[in-house]
Amino acid sequence: MMRRSEFIRLVRQQSSCLPRDALNKVLLLFAEHVSNNAFSELLASFDTPVTAMPISSDLLIPAVKSLNEAVLRGEYALTWSEEDYFDGFSRDKVYTLNDPDGLGSEIEVLLEAAIACTDAGEYETAFKAFEELFAITISSDDGDVIGMETLSDQNLVNMDFIEVVKHYAYASLMVLKPREGAAKLMEILPLDYKICLHEIEEVGDEGIPGKADFIREWSTILMEQPGWLTETALIDAAIYGGGIEALHAFTMEHGSVYKSSYIELIKAYTSLNQTDQAIEVALRGLDELIIDSEYRTQVADLLLALAEEKEDHELAAQAIWQGLRSAMDINHFMLLHQLQDEALLSQAMNYLEDNRRKEYRDYLSIRLLNGDHQLVWEELSRDTGSLGWSTSDKGRVFPMFIAILAGDGQRMTCVKEIVAEAYPDKDPSVLIKQVVQANSRFLTAGEYQSYYNWCHMEVDERVEAIVRGQHRGSYDKAAALAVAIAETMQSKGDTAVAVAYLRGVKAKYPRYSSFLTSLRVKSKRSGFDIAL
């Protein structure tokens, strides 16, 4: 069911485009269904307010002052209404701001007049009007202080708030001294809206007087704010003030603090096909940025793309190594593994051990890809839990142990499925191939049997915990694990044993039809043509 607030918004949107005859028909239709206690209110709404007519520039400032005074006298009121909302899953409350006296509509007319003044080059008038309109605040019935942004968010001022801010900013920059203009822009421009200065300048046909002075003052003010809030605006200011050359100068001076400037500068040089300059900046960024910075990882990845474009294998290896140093994740280790550089792999593993941190979630995955199966097995064996795998090292790495057991088996549908679920951003075939190559040739018969017994026990216990616990959302996962174990049996030529195992799982849970359905589908997909 449509909410009242959404209905009002759509009516306002569609009625603004209706010709008079169509609007009359809508009003007559509405009048036939309106309740009798709303007759007076409906008729009163037909009175056209004075401010609904276009306002000339010479009358704009008096009209704005008059409205402001009326607000201060308490002639307008805003109220919040509450409605129950049900989205099919949960119930919640929806709060809508109501404007019974039409304050939003009056402000809207005045804002349109102020924008018209900006477009006509009457910047002084436009600025004064914007200044007073943005200063209007009014308390709602529960004490909230409502300003222009909230009125716009609630569709009581039915205008694009960003466009209004751009015109206000353009007018203020045209009439104020640079320092005051920069300070005013900081006051009126919510930084999280990410409005760039080029967009503001495009509002008018003229340039910004004193542009260089303004950029200098604007950047100074931004640097006085928390960096996480102003970094995007500072980079934008640098580009606005002098293009890629200015961005380069800013990055060289402030890149260690405003780290994403390195990324933007590399991308800018790359877009201009200035590959050598982009590589030079990337190498400097790798030296400048702290080792565990996500920005440093991004710089390394950009450098890798540049190296691959130039077919510079030495530079590519350097980029992969630097990316691994920063991220310590399986993505970069897989790239490093593919280089088949034993010296570099050894260096990477030594670095991993020297700098191991608990938040390196891929630590055990990397160790397994390096062939350290015994170390990883001993680590995972300490976790005796059968539930909660989605957030544990066991849940992430265990599927790769089953892959090692399956080896080069031709049918590994469910093995690939459980690996893909543990590593959703990886090609399971590539990952399985790497982990099998890294471990199988060093696996003794005794180790294989130990891992097989352990995996078999872990799967049986996990299936039991999921099915008996009726965790229906995990039935598919339990079935995939069971069939994956059967696939390891089949890979060694024990198809009959695999079939018997699956039939045993089926016999153990005869009353759990949803689980059995998943088990039947996955078994058939893996080539086990058995009656389940």
Side-chain angles (χ1 to χ4, degrees), residues 499 503 506 520 528-532:
V499 171
R503 285 177 174 164
K506 180 257 181 183
R520 184 183 304 112
F528 298 111
D529 190 12
I530 55 180
L532 279 177

Side-chain angles (χ1 to χ4, degrees), residues 355-373:
N355 298 275
R356 182 183 176 186
R357 302 184 312 181
K358 289 182 179 179
E359 56 266 38
Y360 284 158
R361 186 168 183 239
D362 285 345
Y363 172 76
L364 292 178
S365 302
I366 291 173
R367 293 303 309 235
L368 195 59
L369 276 169
N370 193 56
D372 302 322
H373 48 80

Side-chain angles (χ1 to χ4, degrees), residues 109-399:
V109 172
L110 296 172
L111 284 173
E112 288 174 344
I115 288 174
C117 284
T118 306
D119 293 339
E122 301 178 38
Y123 305 120
E124 288 278 359
T125 301
F127 170 69
K128 290 177 182 177
F130 281 126
E131 187 85 337
E132 294 232 13
L133 287 168
F134 268 74
I136 290 178
T137 58
I138 181 172
S139 295
S140 65
D141 55 346
D142 64 353
D144 283 345
V145 178
I146 307 299
M148 185 68 67
E149 190 173 349
T150 304
L151 290 172
S152 178
D153 287 343
Q154 291 285 319
N155 296 310
L156 297 179
V157 173
N158 193 23
M159 299 176 69
D160 186 332
F161 182 69
I162 300 303
E163 284 302 314
V164 173
V165 170
K166 287 179 187 177
H167 281 79
Y168 183 9
Y170 187 80
S172 71
L173 294 177
M174 292 300 299
V175 302
L176 295 178
K177 295 177 182 179
R179 177 69 191 186
E180 293 169 332
K184 179 55 63 178
L185 184 55
M186 174 59 71
E187 180 184 330
I188 67 174
L189 180 61
L191 291 173
D192 56 339
Y193 278 95
K194 305 290 191 296
I195 303 175
C196 72
L197 296 175
H198 277 296
E199 292 177 341
I200 293 175
E201 188 175 32
E202 288 168 2
V203 166
D205 295 328
E206 304 176 36
I208 304 293
K211 178 176 176 177
D213 291 336
F214 167 77
I215 291 295
R216 185 165 49 254
E217 297 300 332
W218 173 235
S219 298
T220 299
I221 292 174
L222 287 173
M223 286 186 177
E224 293 170 353
Q225 313 301 317
W228 61 271
L229 184 63
T230 60
E231 185 161 347
T232 300
L234 273 165
I235 293 171
D236 167 59
I239 297 172
Y240 177 66
I244 195 169
E245 292 81 6
L247 178 58
H248 186 105
F250 176 83
T251 303
M252 296 303 103
E253 184 175 357
H254 302 291
S256 61
V257 177
Y258 303 102
K259 303 174 185 65
S260 61
S261 62
Y262 274 108
I263 295 166
E264 295 304 320
L265 184 57
I266 294 167
K267 289 180 178 178
Y269 277 131
T270 302
S271 69
L272 296 173
N273 294 319
Q274 297 181 19
T275 305
D276 291 339
Q277 291 90 330
I279 290 173
E280 182 181 334
V281 172
L283 291 171
R284 179 185 171 102
L286 292 174
D287 288 337
E288 182 84 13
L289 300 174
I290 59 175
I291 205 73
D292 58 352
S293 165
E294 63 177 290
Y295 298 102
R296 191 178 186 280
T297 306
Q298 292 180 55
V299 168
D301 291 344
L302 290 171
L303 179 60
L304 175 60
L306 293 165
E308 290 175 340
E309 183 181 334
K310 292 191 69 172
E311 298 184 351
D312 187 332
H313 303 298
E314 184 177 339
L315 185 62
Q318 181 181 354
I320 293 169
W321 164 235
Q322 294 298 341
L324 179 62
R325 288 182 67 201
S326 294
M328 273 300 159
D329 63 354
I330 192 172
N331 298 339
H332 290 88
F333 188 81
M334 287 179 70
L335 292 172
L336 194 72
H337 194 273
Q338 290 168 0
L339 296 177
Q340 297 183 339
D341 185 327
E342 294 297 332
L344 197 54
L345 274 174
S346 177
Q347 183 181 357
M349 296 313 299
N350 290 334
Y351 182 85
L352 176 66
E353 285 305 313
D354 292 342
N355 298 275
R356 182 183 176 186
R357 302 184 312 181
K358 289 182 179 179
E359 56 266 38
Y360 284 158
R361 186 168 183 239
D362 285 345
Y363 172 76
L364 292 178
S365 302
I366 291 173
R367 293 303 309 235
L368 195 59
L369 276 169
N370 193 56
D372 302 322
H373 48 80
Q374 185 70 17
L375 180 150
V376 177
W377 177 57
E378 290 173 358
E379 187 87 16
L380 293 184
S381 297
R382 297 189 184 99
D383 183 351
T384 58
S386 298
L387 291 173
W389 278 21
S390 59
T391 57
S392 71
D393 284 330
K394 180 192 278 189
R396 187 161 170 79
V397 183
F398 181 82

